Amino acid sequence: MQRHQVILDLLKQKGAVKLQELVLATDSSESTIRRDLIELERRRLLKRIHGGAALLQTKGAEPTIAEKSTKNLQIKQRIAAAAASLVEPGDCIYLDAGSTTLEMVPHLQAKNLTVVTNGFAQLEALAERQIRAYLLGGMIKLSTRAMIGSMALESLRLYRFDKCFLGTNGIDLELGYTTPDPEEAMIKKTAARLASQAYVLADGQKFHEVAFAKVADIHEMRIITDKLPEEQRQSYLNQTDIIEVDT
């Protein structure tokens, strides 16, 4: 359909477009454009955002830790604070490498914690707060400052956790939690299986995104987020526990 192609061409040019831009560009009504966006999202050609639409990330795209740390920072801090409130005195927890899990560290108030992490930045932050911590061995991935590889996986398997807290690049009802790097996906998957309770920390923009490597199905972990997709809210609630933070 020509109107759909106009929408997709504009997205390729700009990355994100407002609903009114699409109305003007296609000489269509708002209701027509909304239906178009629903259909194109269903076909995984874009994702709807508040007031418009945005391109999906490519399957292998991965921002650096510096890029991720400055994006949606206040929302990440609220999600992180909610996650940290679940940690109880004496817990042994796994803290994934990632910008949102890093924001948990200042909020960890429970006493006698033991933390295992594959995040170099997480280790530094934990040391500054004098929280007992273990870093997985292995190779450091420079872009995300995460320890990955067979040695990291082997050392991870030595531990058992009360709770684990993971980041993700994408959440999709059918395709589950995904991340660009298969080696990081295996670390996340294994940590979740070794924990009594597994949580994914994700801002609302991660929904409808799909990256290259699968971590788990939706029902296998609980989600802590600022916003569920309204049209799929009940479907997510039917599949897993959700903690929505106030923003």
Side-chain angles (χ1 to χ4, degrees):
M1 184 186 296
Q2 185 176 359
R3 193 172 61 247
H4 287 185
Q5 192 59 53
V6 171
I7 292 170
L8 294 173
D9 287 344
L10 275 172
L11 278 173
K12 288 176 183 177
Q13 293 172 23
K14 298 187 173 185
V17 289
K18 296 291 187 182
L19 183 65
Q20 286 304 315
E21 290 181 73
L22 298 174
V23 167
L24 292 172
T26 60
D27 193 25
S28 305
S29 66
E30 284 192 15
S31 59
T32 296
I33 295 300
R34 289 184 195 279
R35 287 195 296 271
D36 287 344
L37 296 183
I38 291 171
E39 171 61 19
L40 291 168
E41 184 177 66
R42 187 190 64 79
R43 290 163 53 191
R44 304 187 194 282
L45 296 174
L46 54 75
K47 66 175 179 179
R48 288 181 292 157
I49 58 174
H50 182 69
L55 280 178
L56 293 167
Q57 294 182 22
T58 57
K59 298 292 184 286
E62 184 163 24
T64 66
I65 188 69
E67 290 169 336
K68 290 191 285 188
S69 294
T70 57
K71 189 176 181 181
N72 300 326
L73 181 57
Q74 291 186 339
I75 290 173
K76 289 178 179 180
Q77 289 171 338
R78 291 189 179 96
I79 292 170
S85 72
L86 301 172
V87 179
E88 299 173 296
D91 269 354
C92 297
I93 69 171
Y94 179 79
L95 205 58
D96 188 29
S99 56
T100 310
T101 53
L102 179 59
E103 294 298 332
M104 282 182 63
V105 177
H107 298 285
L108 291 174
Q109 302 297 328
K111 303 296 184 183
N112 300 318
L113 294 182
T114 300
V115 182
V116 177
T117 184
N118 71 324
F120 202 77
Q122 278 76 354
L123 183 72
E124 292 176 332
L126 290 161
E128 288 176 5
R129 294 184 60 81
Q130 299 187 335
I131 296 174
R132 182 169 57 239
Y134 295 82
L135 179 68
L136 299 185
M139 180 185 74
I140 188 166
K141 183 177 176 181
L142 296 179
S143 60
T144 60
R145 301 181 73 189
M147 305 302 291
I148 60 171
S150 59
M151 291 178 64
L153 194 59
E154 184 178 347
S155 59
L156 174 60
R157 289 176 175 147
L158 297 174
Y159 304 109
R160 301 295 181 269
F161 309 109
D162 295 296
K163 302 175 181 79
C164 83
F165 300 93
L166 306 176
T168 188
N169 291 71
I171 303 177
D172 183 271
L173 268 175
E174 295 179 20
L175 302 178
Y177 309 102
T178 52
T179 195
D181 189 324
E183 292 197 65
E184 284 200 75
M186 184 56 68
I187 295 286
K188 293 173 190 285
K189 181 194 297 283
T190 302
R193 289 177 177 172
L194 294 173
S196 298
Q197 300 173 48
Y199 297 90
V200 167
L201 284 60
D203 62 74
Q205 293 189 9
K206 300 293 178 63
F207 291 94
H208 301 303
E209 291 284 357
V210 179
F212 177 61
K214 182 177 178 179
V215 175
D217 290 321
I218 293 299
H219 71 272
E220 294 182 78
M221 294 189 276
R222 302 170 181 180
I223 301 173
I224 307 175
T225 186
D226 62 308
K227 188 177 182 181
L228 285 171
E230 278 302 322
E231 74 284 359
Q232 294 180 316
R233 169 179 292 276
Q234 194 56 52
S235 296
Y236 276 102
L237 292 172
N238 289 343
Q239 290 204 35
T240 191
D241 292 335
I242 307 288
I243 299 172
E244 276 190 278
V245 303
D246 294 329
T247 55

